[in-house]
Amino acid sequence: MLSAKSLFQEIIDDDDAFRLFCSIAASGESQGGWENGRIAALVPDSERALAPKVARHGADEDKHGRIFNALMKKRGLQPVPVPPETDYTMLLEQHGIGLAHGRLKRDEPLTVRDIVTYLAHSRVTEQRASEQMRMLRKHFADDPDLGRAVRMISHDEDNHLAYCHEELLRLARAGHGRTIQRILRACALAEIAVYRDVSLAVMDHMGRILGWSRPKAALLAAGIRAMYAYERAGGWRRMVSLEMPTRRDALGGPATTAVEFA
């Protein structure tokens, strides 16, 4: 019987599949670290209090990239190039979601609208990241090789999501509510399509590596498309709601380290 746990167990047990999975994850986290670092450096004067939190977000993402690379190194594996069709971050940018890398490479201060765009984009993508890591934590928190990594990253992703909620609510109170909701909706609808396409591409690569039968590959693809249909029909709304989080000021302190994985 196919299940999330059995699927990921297959990937974890095979060196080539595990290497591809970790390479994709490490690349995405590293890109996120760079983006947040640049945003922290370019925060406008009116939002300077936000800069340390954005920097903390970026430091966490960099840490996650190091963790995935360390998991490969522990098994004697080297990263592999990330297939473009599996590059979630790049594909989101190509769909006009978030702040373009070209904008972040210029040494020009961002606007408050840019900060709203960044936080709305992060609120949507961190929802996805938090859900994915909770699923992995549910099944692999006690795994002797992956457990610590999964628990640490999951905790951080929950913090990132809480931070986005809190800061967007603050900006909504400052008069940006309609803009926030408009950007959130556009981000969510684009993200679910990109996530579908990336998931199909990743499963296609994994299927070839693991030698899945055509019926098994077709069943997994159908499941991915069914999830997209659910999200397109209304599941996307969970990505745009805002509520004050239980974790307040979740990124208010220094980033935690991951020396045990370095």
Side-chain angles (χ1 to χ4, degrees):
M1 178 179 177
L2 286 178
S3 67
K5 182 176 182 179
S6 66
L7 178 63
F8 274 97
Q9 193 66 60
E10 275 193 78
I11 293 170
I12 291 166
D13 289 344
D14 183 274
D15 280 350
D16 288 338
F18 185 71
R19 178 169 59 176
L20 178 60
F21 171 77
C22 287
S23 296
I24 292 171
S27 174
E29 296 287 358
S30 296
Q31 287 184 66
W34 178 84
E35 289 171 2
N36 279 277
R38 289 300 299 156
I39 291 166
L42 300 174
V43 167
D45 289 341
S46 62
E47 292 291 328
R48 289 312 302 171
L50 190 64
K53 298 179 182 180
V54 181
R56 161 75 184 275
H57 190 176
D60 284 346
E61 303 287 4
D62 282 335
K63 176 183 69 180
H64 299 167
R66 293 195 302 274
I67 288 173
F68 283 114
N69 281 315
L71 288 172
M72 285 187 281
K73 183 178 180 181
K74 187 175 181 180
R75 285 172 56 166
L77 304 173
Q78 293 295 321
V80 294
V82 174
E85 65 273 18
T86 69
D87 193 330
Y88 174 78
T89 304
M90 180 190 72
L91 291 170
L92 283 174
E93 182 184 0
Q94 289 178 357
H95 281 72
I97 301 303
L99 298 177
H101 284 191
R103 175 68 180 88
L104 295 179
K105 289 177 181 178
R106 299 200 303 268
D107 289 323
E108 299 174 9
L110 299 172
T111 65
V112 174
R113 171 62 182 264
D114 290 331
I115 295 300
V116 169
T117 298
Y118 150 69
L119 286 168
H121 166 254
S122 296
R123 187 263 175 272
V124 170
T125 56
E126 293 297 340
Q127 178 78 37
R128 184 74 71 186
S130 178
E131 291 172 354
Q132 288 182 317
M133 291 312 303
R134 286 181 188 179
M135 181 273 293
L136 290 175
R137 187 177 66 197
K138 175 182 176 181
H139 297 303
F140 298 104
D142 296 326
D143 184 277
D145 295 321
L146 300 178
R148 287 183 299 172
V150 166
R151 292 193 302 271
M152 179 177 288
I153 296 173
S154 180
H155 175 79
D156 289 346
E157 301 297 7
D158 288 346
N159 278 346
H160 300 166
L161 184 57
Y163 146 79
C164 291
H165 275 270
E166 188 170 7
E167 295 301 330
L168 284 169
L169 285 170
R170 175 182 63 81
L171 287 165
R173 290 193 298 271
H176 301 282
R178 289 187 178 180
T179 300
I180 289 169
Q181 284 301 319
R182 184 170 63 252
I183 297 174
L184 279 173
R185 186 180 189 278
C187 283
L189 291 174
E191 193 279 341
I192 62 173
V194 168
Y195 182 72
R196 174 203 59 198
D197 293 344
V198 167
S199 297
L200 288 169
V202 170
M203 288 300 103
D204 182 58
H205 282 278
M206 292 300 178
R208 288 200 295 271
I209 292 171
L210 296 169
W212 289 341
S213 66
R214 286 188 178 181
K216 180 175 181 176
L219 182 60
L220 288 169
I224 291 168
R225 292 189 174 95
M227 174 58 73
Y228 171 73
Y230 157 75
E231 292 192 325
R232 189 66 181 82
W236 62 272
R237 297 183 186 278
R238 76 188 189 286
M239 296 179 159
V240 304
S241 62
L242 294 174
E243 59 183 25
M244 189 57 68
T246 302
R247 300 185 187 190
R248 302 293 294 275
D249 197 25
L251 298 187
T256 57
T257 60
V259 293
E260 65 267 39
F261 300 103

